């Protein structure tokens, strides 16, 4: 059975991007440096390789409209995966005509998640975007939360969990600690 998994890198003070939608640091990528190769000679290793494998074995992506548009819908697919975007407005031209694996869902987060899970089959649905994660939690359709907590304080920007409907209990199901990040995976308790 597939699970819907929010997977986000976050600063210790709760930010997923700075005020200009960059990911922190001088090069704008501080929050994602942990996921790159630890030496410049090859692919990621250690925990980064483990998470890369998780992302590569997902069956679909559910992404907020803002996130999808900032990423140009990952060029029309997310590593070959279908992308579902909950939105109250129709998609722009690129998503409408140029990206056949991108589906805009206008009848709510529950429908978007159901379609993503159907497309994923028995694989996980990777969830992207703060607002979408908050709405999925509110609707009870987010199963797990995986946070890659980066040892940096951004001090300002976009928070991951700005507005939640109420207290939400989580259960830690895995924790991996490295010098670059602490990776914590939670199950959402219902």
């Amino acid at each position: 059975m597939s699970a819907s998994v929010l997977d986000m890198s976050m600063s210790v003070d709760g930010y997923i991007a700075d005020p200009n939608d960059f990911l922190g640091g001088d090069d704008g990528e501080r929050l994602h440096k942990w996921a790159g190769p630890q030496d410049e000679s090859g692919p990621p290793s250690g925990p980064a390789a483990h998470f890369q494998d998780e992302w590569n074995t997902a069956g679909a992506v559910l992404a907020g409209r803002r996130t999808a548009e900032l990423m140009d819908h990952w060029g029309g697919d997310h590593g070959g995966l279908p992308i579902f975007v909950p939105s109250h407005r129709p998609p722009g031209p690129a998503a409408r005509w140029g990206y056949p694996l991108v589906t805009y869902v206008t009848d709510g987060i529950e429908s978007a998640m159901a379609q993503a899970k159907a497309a994923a089959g028995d694989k996980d649905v990777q969830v992207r975007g703060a607002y979408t994660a908050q709405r999925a939690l509110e609707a009870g359709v987010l199963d797990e939360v995986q946070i890659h907590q980066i040892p940096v304080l951004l001090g300002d920007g976009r928070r991951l969990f700005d507005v939640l409907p109420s207290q939400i209990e989580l259960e830690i199901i895995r924790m991996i600690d490295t010098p670059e990040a602490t990776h914590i995976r939670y199950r959402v308790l219902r």
Side-chain angles (χ1 to χ4, degrees), residues 1-6 62 108-114 117 127 131-145 163-170 187-190:
M1 183 169 175
S2 76
S4 54
V5 183
L6 171 68
L62 187 138
I109 188 76
E110 295 92 341
S111 177
M113 186 65 78
K117 281 191 170 187
V127 178
Y131 180 80
T132 297
Q134 293 167 35
R135 298 300 65 81
L137 283 166
E138 182 178 43
V141 296
L142 186 63
D143 301 315
E144 297 180 4
V145 175
V163 180
L164 294 174
S166 62
Q167 180 172 310
I168 297 169
E169 294 291 335
L170 306 173
R187 179 176 295 112
V188 177
L189 299 179
R190 294 182 180 60

Side-chain angles (χ1 to χ4, degrees), residues 88-121:
H88 300 293
R89 296 175 289 129
R96 188 177 315 137
W97 296 304
Y99 298 153
L101 289 178
V102 176
T103 302
Y104 272 62
V105 180
T106 59
D107 57 344
I109 188 76
E110 295 92 341
S111 177
M113 186 65 78
Q115 290 179 52
K117 281 191 170 187

